[in-house]
Amino acid sequence: MNNLLEIRDRIISVYTQYENFFVPAFRFLVSYLSLLYISSRIGYQEVLTGALPSLLIALICTLVPASAAAVILGLVMIIQLFSLALEAGLVALILFLVLCLLYFRFSPKDAMLIVMSPVCHAIGIPYVLPIAGGLVYGPVSAVASAIGVIMVSFMNFVHDNETTIGTTGGDEDAVTKFRFVVDGIAQNRTMIVTAAAVALVAVVVYAVRRLRIRYAWYIAVLAGAVVELIVLLVGDMLYAISISIGAAFLGVALSALIGCGITFFLFNLDYTRIENVQFEDDDYYYYVKAVPKNVYIAPRRTVKKINTSRHIRGGADAEDGAFGTFAEPGAEDATTGTWDRNE
């Protein structure tokens, strides 16, 4: 355990020292990967598709606040969908405005969850977002987590039905396609169940980690993972949604491990040294439970100097108590000289 604490403290020390470099680099990497994922699913506008345009847009997302970066990703999606079909672009624009109003009304501080959503879905761990949101932000992170699910599900729906949506026709065909896109969102049971699951997990994780119990954060991560699996299993049984239970179980397990890692760095307490403190003022008695943090204590090295000289300096505490300083015949002590107590 002490070795883990040492590694953690070194990582925190390096991060603190180079924070101004790590934070922009992380935001740039996440934004770039998210844009690449969007291009791979709905890359219908050549100007915005490719490594170089994604690189430039990711750089802009790094320079602006996280909430503005989420808006930029949304606008890129809308432009891409307008390039495919007017109907898909209109539905995306309406959905984008509704989600923006909902998001900025409740949780404008956790926009990185939205920016990270395409990346997490691409690598199969979308369930880490509500766990991390409940641990780091609060219950309103449920909104950002659900928005990320809706955004990715809409892209996947358009990608799977791009032939039907992209065909041209008359006004009646346009109305039919518009209704088809709307129904694809409103009747997407997989999206509804997954969005409900991540929203519920964020609330559960936040509620449990606020409890005054030992290992509250670790229990919150475990509770969130269990709730996630239960909701997905129940949704699969009731609505026959297209979710791979094996992949979901693996993704939830990996998300729980990442949640434990977040807890280790942010809320690592030593419950073996709990102190109960009581004090009072003029109006109240206070009973406080203090739980110290796990802190790495560097081992102290003590260096013993062994004098190999044959001079022996003594005094009242000398072993035999008879002599103060001994010296061999002919030896000279520059400080005290040599003397014999019996002289």
Side-chain angles (χ1 to χ4, degrees), residues 247-296:
F249 181 83
L250 181 60
V252 170
L254 291 176
S255 301
L257 289 177
I258 295 174
C260 290
I262 294 173
T263 301
F264 179 72
F265 279 94
L266 299 182
F267 198 76
N268 190 15
L269 303 183
D270 185 1
Y271 291 97
T272 62
R273 298 188 293 122
I274 295 178
E275 298 179 4
N276 293 298
V277 183
Q278 176 182 346
F279 56 94
E280 63 176 293
D281 59 16
D282 295 337
D283 300 318
Y284 296 96
Y285 280 96
Y286 299 92
Y287 299 90
V288 179
K289 177 183 288 187
V291 185
K293 295 181 179 180
N294 266 321
V295 179
Y296 170 70

Side-chain angles (χ1 to χ4, degrees), residues 73-97:
L73 292 183
L75 293 176
V76 170
M77 287 180 55
I78 293 173
I79 295 173
Q80 295 278 18
L81 292 174
F82 267 115
S83 300
L84 174 66
L86 178 63
E87 298 80 11
L90 287 175
V91 174
L93 180 60
I94 296 172
L95 183 63
F96 174 76
L97 293 176

Side-chain angles (χ1 to χ4, degrees), residues 158-169:
V158 173
H159 174 77
D160 296 337
N161 300 274
E162 61 182 9
T163 303
T164 303
I165 299 173
T167 55
T168 59

Side-chain angles (χ1 to χ4, degrees), residues 83-150:
S83 300
L84 174 66
L86 178 63
E87 298 80 11
L90 287 175
V91 174
L93 180 60
I94 296 172
L95 183 63
F96 174 76
L97 293 176
V98 172
L99 293 179
C100 278
L101 292 175
L102 182 65
Y103 171 73
F104 286 106
R105 173 64 179 85
F106 290 102
S107 54
K109 296 182 180 180
D110 48 10
M112 280 305 298
L113 296 179
I114 299 177
V115 179
M116 293 173 60
S117 186
V119 179
C120 292
H121 279 80
I123 61 179
I125 53 171
Y127 315 107
V128 73
L129 297 176
I131 293 177
L135 291 175
V136 179
Y137 297 108
V140 291
S141 61
V143 177
S145 301
I147 289 175
V149 171
I150 295 172

Side-chain angles (χ1 to χ4, degrees), residues 216-256:
W217 281 45
Y218 289 104
I219 296 174
V221 172
L222 179 61
V226 172
V227 169
E228 186 87 51
L229 286 175
I230 291 175
V231 174
L232 292 177
L233 289 174
V234 172
D236 184 59
M237 289 187 295
L238 293 179
Y239 303 108
I241 59 179
S242 57
I243 291 181
S244 174
I245 301 301
F249 181 83
L250 181 60
V252 170
L254 291 176
S255 301

